Amino acid sequence: MGSLEEERTTTGWAARDPTGVLSPYTYTLRNTGPEDIFIKVICCGICHTDIHQIKNDLGMSNYPMVPGHEVVGEVVEVGSDVTKFKVGDTIGVGTIVGCCRNCHPCKSDIEQYCNKKIWSYNDVYPDGKPTQGGFAGHMVVDQKFVVKIPDGMAPEQAAPLLCAGVTVYSPLTHFGLNHSGLKGGILGLGGVGHMGVKVAKAMGHHVTVISSSDKKREEAMEHLGADDYLVSSDSTRMQEVADSLDYIIDTVPVFHPLEPYLSLLKLEGKLILMGVINTPLQFLTPVVMLGRKTITGSFIGSMKETDEMLEFCKEKGVKSVIETVKMDYINTAFERLEKNDVRYRFVVDVAGSKLDEQ
């Protein structure tokens, strides 16, 4: 595997500035080592977080930036110490590609909470090279941050599970909300929200979708299998559902009041925040105190949880609802995603776009 010591180039689609417009960009992949895997990207999902990053909404963006953290690819080469994967395997790469391996989170198999984690793009490796994401022909990734895609699972179906899927699966399992008979709410029916409905239903929950309008009722009830649909502005219905939910998964990525949803939780219910919001949220403390309710958050999932989640989804037949596009459509896809004009996750056919053959 001597060729692994040589640097390679690949072509991706990168944002150059906060306009967030992506265009072709050829760059050098970082040096690869014994633990690394050289991956040909098959496809990559588009996440709402990608918009925050390419447009510098969080004030931490570095350019040029190749986004994409729901990556499914094929193993082309493996380093000499790689034991988990072989050439030809279909694998996945999510939000994180590095961690310190020494802190409490790392030693507890929850490396997504490591303070020195390395993001799959818009970050820097220890050798100083920038990380670049999955909207590119190839990637080099440490085997620790790679998962095997189960046999029989289509790559384009697997891609959204690597972020949206595990983002929902992780808190439900961590907080002990993964047994049947619970009543859950899914606030916001986008990429993460639609996976929330599917995963929660597969766990045997009664699922209520909560939305700001009635326009997604048919989709939620008839196509995704939700049990109930609640429009947050319908005060009568909100009152009827008050004090009834064990948890709410809040996927809304923009400012919104919390009190209306806290009132839906039963005693000791949990409001689990998942949307990346760059403005402070507010609530009145009695709404929490008088029901011993919890406002908490959860961030993606560990590599161990990602493996578990993929097997769970295969066993239960959980599939994401996707729209597949080619790379030259990606800027339009981002524009549509900002308007919530997608059911429910865009997946870019990277291999079919032949980026490294142009």
Side-chain angles (χ1 to χ4, degrees):
M1 292 298 168
S3 61
L4 278 181
E5 300 304 318
E6 301 170 9
E7 288 192 336
R8 298 180 170 94
T9 60
T10 192
T11 299
W13 278 52
R16 266 51 174 218
D17 56 51
T19 62
V21 176
L22 273 63
S23 58
Y25 169 62
T26 299
Y27 55 97
T28 303
L29 294 172
R30 71 179 177 90
N31 285 324
T32 54
E35 298 275 348
D36 285 325
I37 297 173
F38 181 54
I39 300 163
K40 177 183 179 181
V41 178
I42 297 172
C43 59
C44 184
I46 300 179
C47 175
H48 201 279
T49 306
D50 295 328
I51 295 175
H52 288 306
Q53 295 284 10
I54 62 176
K55 296 202 168 185
N56 197 28
D57 288 343
L58 305 177
M60 299 182 294
S61 297
N62 297 291
Y63 304 97
M65 179 200 303
V66 178
H69 60 241
E70 297 180 342
V71 189
V72 176
E74 178 185 348
V75 176
V76 177
E77 265 186 330
V78 296
S80 56
D81 293 341
V82 172
T83 56
K84 296 167 60 180
F85 306 96
K86 63 183 187 304
V87 172
D89 282 350
T90 302
I91 53 84
V93 179
T95 309
I96 295 172
V97 295
C99 64
C100 80
R101 308 190 189 219
N102 295 314
C103 65
H104 174 67
C106 285
K107 291 182 176 180
S108 304
D109 286 332
I110 48 172
E111 63 284 327
Q112 73 270 33
Y113 298 111
C114 172
N115 287 332
K116 296 181 180 178
K117 60 183 166 287
I118 300 173
W119 305 99
S120 51
Y121 68 90
N122 194 33
D123 208 343
V124 180
Y125 286 109
D127 66 2
K129 282 191 174 292
T131 64
Q132 301 289 11
F135 299 134
H138 292 82
M139 295 177 74
V140 177
V141 182
D142 187 300
Q143 68 170 338
K144 176 177 174 60
F145 301 95
V146 175
V147 292
K148 178 82 165 63
I149 302 300
D151 293 339
M153 185 177 283
E156 64 274 13
Q157 282 291 339
L161 301 179
L162 298 169
C163 175
V166 75
T167 292
V168 173
Y169 181 88
S170 176
L172 290 178
T173 53
H174 172 73
F175 292 118
L177 300 169
N178 55 343
H179 56 89
S180 62
L182 297 178
K183 288 189 173 183
I186 305 295
L187 178 55
L189 198 60
V192 175
H194 102 280
M195 286 309 309
V197 175
K198 285 175 164 280
V199 170
K201 285 297 296 179
M203 289 179 174
H205 298 179
H206 179 284
V207 178
T208 299
V209 170
I210 309 163
S211 188
S212 59
S213 75
D214 216 28
K215 65 181 181 180
K216 293 184 179 180
R217 179 185 295 273
E218 180 181 351
E219 188 80 24
M221 303 284 286
E222 297 186 18
H223 299 289
L224 298 180
D227 300 286
D228 198 1
Y229 190 93
L230 190 58
V231 179
S232 55
S233 59
D234 185 340
S235 56
T236 302
R237 285 280 289 129
M238 289 287 282
Q239 187 61 42
E240 289 174 1
V241 183
D243 300 318
S244 70
L245 302 180
D246 294 287
Y247 67 87
I248 294 174
I249 290 177
D250 182 347
T251 73
V252 177
V254 295
F255 176 84
H256 57 288
L258 298 184
E259 278 102 338
Y261 311 109
L262 289 166
S263 68
L264 302 178
L265 295 171
K266 62 171 60 170
L267 178 67
E268 298 184 341
K270 289 180 170 58
L271 177 65
I272 305 168
L273 301 176
M274 294 187 174
V276 177
I277 305 171
N278 58 3
T279 53
L281 299 181
Q282 295 176 329
F283 63 94
L284 297 173
T285 57
V287 183
V288 175
M289 295 162 54
L290 295 176
R292 198 156 65 184
K293 299 172 184 180
T294 302
I295 299 173
T296 187
S298 183
F299 174 63
I300 54 167
S302 66
M303 301 312 300
K304 184 177 179 182
E305 287 172 323
T306 304
D307 276 324
E308 291 175 4
M309 175 274 307
L310 288 169
E311 288 300 327
F312 173 84
C313 289
K314 181 185 178 183
E315 177 190 341
K316 299 291 187 179
V318 175
K319 293 184 177 181
S320 44
V321 179
I322 61 171
E323 180 178 336
T324 305
V325 299
K326 288 290 196 293
M327 189 65 78
D328 58 9
Y329 188 80
I330 195 166
N331 289 307
T332 303
F334 274 121
E335 290 173 8
R336 286 179 53 194
L337 177 57
E338 281 197 283
K339 300 171 186 173
N340 294 317
D341 177 24
V342 57
R343 298 287 189 276
Y344 277 94
R345 203 67 151 184
F346 282 116
V347 176
V348 178
D349 175 11
V350 178
S353 301
K354 302 187 183 333
L355 298 184
D356 282 336
E357 297 177 22
Q358 296 174 358

